[in-house]
Amino acid sequence: MSINLVPGATTLAQLETILRQGEAATLDPSARAGIDQSAERLAKAAAGTAPVYGVNTGFGKLANRRIAPADVETLQRNLILSHCAGVGDPLEQSVTRLVMALKLISLGRGVSGVRYAVIEQLERMLAHDVLPVIPAQGSVGASGDLAPLAHMAAAMMGEGEAFYRGDRISAKDALAAAGINPLVLAAKEGLGLINGTQVSTALALKGLFDAWRAMTAALVTGAMSTDAAMGSAAPFRKEIHEVRGHQGQIDAAAFLRDVLDGSEIRESHRVDDERVQDPYCIRCQPQVMGACIDLLRQAAKTLQIEANAATDNPLVFEDAIISGGNFHAEPVAFAADQIALAIAEIGSIAQRRIALMVDPTLSYGLPAFLTPEPGLNSGFMIAEVTSAALMSENKQRANPCSTDSTPTSCNQEDHVSMACHGARRLGPMNENLFRIIGIELLTSAQGIEMRRPEKTSTPLQGIIATVRKKIPPLGADRFMANDLAMAADLVAQGKPVTKQSLLLLPE
């Protein structure tokens, strides 16, 4: 199966499918006419005498140097090889696949001046599972993700390295094994490939998709903790949230109401409960989680626009070839910072529920650390400490990257976005969040089971059954790390789900 990409109209659902399922991607045939017309205009300019940035001039601070027509191909090749200055571990292959798909969309807008042969090279590589080795570090998020995208372009030319069906080999050998000829770049094509925000955007999209998955799981585990602690569902009533008006808050409250409906545990303490109010980590879930939902949705809107955008330079229009700055990734940097804030806060409130669950002064009758025999056993004592450590790591990482800038390229590129590493840090933040929510999955399931014979709601019983297929209840102390790893994996795979669902964006 190949995902058909319509430039300007590609959906987040399509991009998530490419990321998660490893699907190939092809450009919708309707884009070809615009691409061919743009390439013809560029070829005429390249054959002329007027200076056109990146076509017959040098780059960046060297833009005032004219390049002879005979050297145009050499100029593009040199550009790519010199810009292959990325360092660090390579991007995940799934992210690289998404980068290539995003580049297809951007070039498909028909204002980049590249030949259709460039499109076909990307499509062939995706179809045959030839994925460039792209070092993750080296972009400051302006003038495009230059270094990482240069590694992508180099592999298209048979330079550098690539993964071929999962094996890391030379790009030349990978192309040969797939029966693909190396691409020889024409005027401006190297520039069209490396000017752009596709690496920053791909990393931010992965961060978004994983954060949304974690957020949904955290709503489920939050409902489970509410029932395990015999918390009140009254704060989730519809009218409370409608009079405030924030859509995310309204949606989170509706989710919690629905998923707790039918719980015997909830009914068992509706009367004669001496508690007046629950702690905020229970009572204010709609307000906190709702604000995170709204942040993620706003970031999603930004990233959907950016995924469909033409972001290289210069751009080739019908009446002129114009140098601009669409490569500046400030919108992506802001979106990444928003996602980071949401990740940190989802983990923060989840960690407080874990702390509540293991504390007998707050958990309303549950044993200390959720162990049947406290003292002899420590139960979830240190699992809670681990969740606190992960929470604090994420809070530190949530500090904004977009407010940082440093001048580069002899002060020509004197303000940059830092979008690429701002987006890249979302990966480890989400890993931490999966682990925090995985710990809450275990503590809340344990707490609910300790409320027997009363049962939780049918949807939450189903979640607990899913957990127990992998991880038994905690009786006597046992080696804990394996349980935590399996629980985090369940969250990362999106397993704590119910029939209730929330849309990231309407498609």
Side-chain angles (χ1 to χ4, degrees):
M1 176 183 174
S2 181
I3 303 296
N4 184 60
L5 304 175
V6 179
T10 299
T11 66
L12 293 182
Q14 289 177 303
L15 298 175
E16 187 169 14
T17 298
I18 292 169
L19 177 76
R20 296 204 188 280
Q21 298 181 21
E23 299 290 354
T26 54
L27 207 56
D28 191 84
S30 63
R32 176 150 195 173
I35 294 169
D36 288 342
Q37 290 168 8
S38 177
E40 288 173 10
R41 296 185 191 111
L42 195 285
K44 289 179 182 178
T49 57
V52 180
Y53 174 72
V55 176
N56 53 17
T57 73
F59 306 101
K61 200 70 173 179
L62 301 176
N64 61 338
R65 303 293 180 90
R66 291 296 299 273
I67 306 300
D71 292 330
V72 166
E73 286 187 3
T74 302
L75 174 70
Q76 298 300 311
R77 180 178 176 81
N78 288 350
L79 172 71
I80 298 305
L81 297 180
S82 68
H83 284 50
C84 285
V87 298
D89 294 333
L91 296 178
E92 296 176 44
Q93 293 177 54
S94 59
V95 173
T96 297
R97 186 179 292 278
L98 184 56
V99 169
M100 297 168 74
L102 293 174
K103 182 55 75 173
L104 276 174
I105 298 168
S106 181
L107 298 177
R109 294 301 298 264
V111 291
S112 295
V114 304
R115 297 165 300 148
Y116 207 76
V118 177
I119 305 298
E120 291 171 328
Q121 187 77 342
L122 285 165
E123 290 179 337
R124 282 191 291 263
M125 291 172 71
L126 285 169
H128 291 87
D129 201 22
V130 178
L131 304 177
V133 173
I134 301 178
Q137 294 171 275
S139 172
V140 294
S143 206
D145 293 315
L146 293 173
L149 285 173
H151 285 271
M152 180 197 75
M156 298 169 67
M157 298 159 49
E159 300 286 348
E161 292 183 298
F163 294 103
Y164 177 59
R165 298 179 179 175
D167 293 329
R168 183 173 178 171
I169 58 177
S170 74
K172 180 180 179 181
D173 289 344
L175 292 177
I180 302 172
N181 293 322
L183 179 68
V184 177
L185 298 175
K188 201 225 169 236
E189 289 179 345
L191 197 60
L193 286 168
I194 69 172
N195 258 337
T197 66
Q198 286 73 41
V199 174
S200 296
T201 304
L203 287 165
L205 283 167
K206 183 180 189 304
L208 172 72
F209 297 145
D210 285 348
W212 189 260
R213 180 171 282 185
M215 182 282 301
T216 304
L219 282 174
V220 171
T221 58
M224 291 170 65
S225 290
T226 300
D227 230 14
M230 289 189 159
S232 173
F236 308 150
R237 285 181 54 161
K238 182 177 182 180
E239 55 265 43
I240 295 174
H241 310 287
E242 288 186 340
V243 296
R244 196 176 197 188
H246 293 296
Q247 191 60 49
Q249 180 177 329
I250 292 168
D251 291 345
F255 186 102
L256 291 164
R257 286 195 307 273
D258 290 347
V259 83
L260 285 165
D261 187 45
S263 167
E264 294 176 6
I265 297 173
R266 186 183 64 168
E267 297 302 320
S268 71
H269 61 95
R270 278 191 183 273
V271 295
D272 299 327
D273 190 330
E274 71 271 16
R275 298 170 297 171
V276 177
Q277 293 180 329
D278 293 314
Y280 290 176
C281 66
I282 299 293
R283 189 180 2 143
C284 297
Q285 289 179 79
Q287 289 80 6
V288 175
M289 294 297 290
C292 294
I293 289 169
D294 286 339
L295 269 183
L296 294 176
R297 284 174 172 164
Q298 178 58 46
K301 291 177 183 178
T302 297
L303 294 176
Q304 185 171 31
I305 292 169
E306 190 72 8
N308 282 281
T311 58
D312 71 284
N313 181 63
L315 296 176
V316 182
F317 296 103
E318 188 170 348
D319 61 340
I321 299 174
I322 309 172
S323 283
N326 280 3
F327 50 67
H328 199 296
E330 197 82 354
V332 182
F334 283 164
D337 282 346
Q338 289 178 306
I339 297 166
L341 290 172
I343 292 169
E345 281 300 280
I346 294 166
S348 177
I349 196 170
Q351 198 284 326
R352 296 317 305 154
R353 293 191 297 265
I354 296 166
L356 179 150
M357 292 294 299
V358 301
D359 186 346
T361 66
L362 297 173
S363 62
Y364 201 56
L366 294 175
F369 303 109
L370 298 172
T371 178
E373 197 172 353
L376 178 63
N377 296 292
S378 296
F380 287 94
M381 179 189 293
I382 303 304
E384 185 271 327
V385 174
T386 296
S387 73
L390 298 172
M391 172 192 67
S392 286
E393 276 190 25
N394 274 1
K395 287 192 291 186
Q396 293 158 13
R397 285 174 167 155
N399 285 306
C401 295
S402 58
T403 53
D404 186 22
S405 180
T406 188
T408 61
S409 193
C410 300
N411 282 301
Q412 178 75 6
E413 297 153 11
D414 60 346
H415 183 279
V416 298
S417 73
M418 301 300 181
C420 198
H421 70 258
R424 181 162 43 84
R425 74 31 160 115
L426 301 176
M429 287 185 73
N430 273 318
E431 290 297 322
N432 284 348
L433 183 55
F434 291 153
R435 294 177 180 121
I436 294 168
I437 299 169
I439 292 170
E440 186 181 19
L441 186 63
L442 297 181
T443 56
S444 59
Q446 183 96 350
I448 286 172
E449 290 169 331
M450 287 179 165
R451 297 297 186 187
R452 289 172 177 162
E454 283 82 12
K455 297 178 182 178
T456 189
S457 66
T458 298
L460 296 184
Q461 288 181 56
I463 297 296
I464 295 172
T466 298
V467 173
R468 293 301 176 227
K469 289 177 183 177
K470 297 276 188 180
I471 309 163
L474 184 63
D477 284 346
R478 62 174 182 256
F479 188 77
M480 181 67 74
N482 291 343
D483 290 1
L484 303 191
M486 286 188 285
D489 191 52
L490 287 173
V491 175
Q493 292 178 25
K495 293 298 176 66
V497 295
T498 67
K499 66 178 181 180
Q500 293 79 7
S501 64
L502 293 174
L503 289 178
L504 177 56
L505 283 182
E507 299 291 3

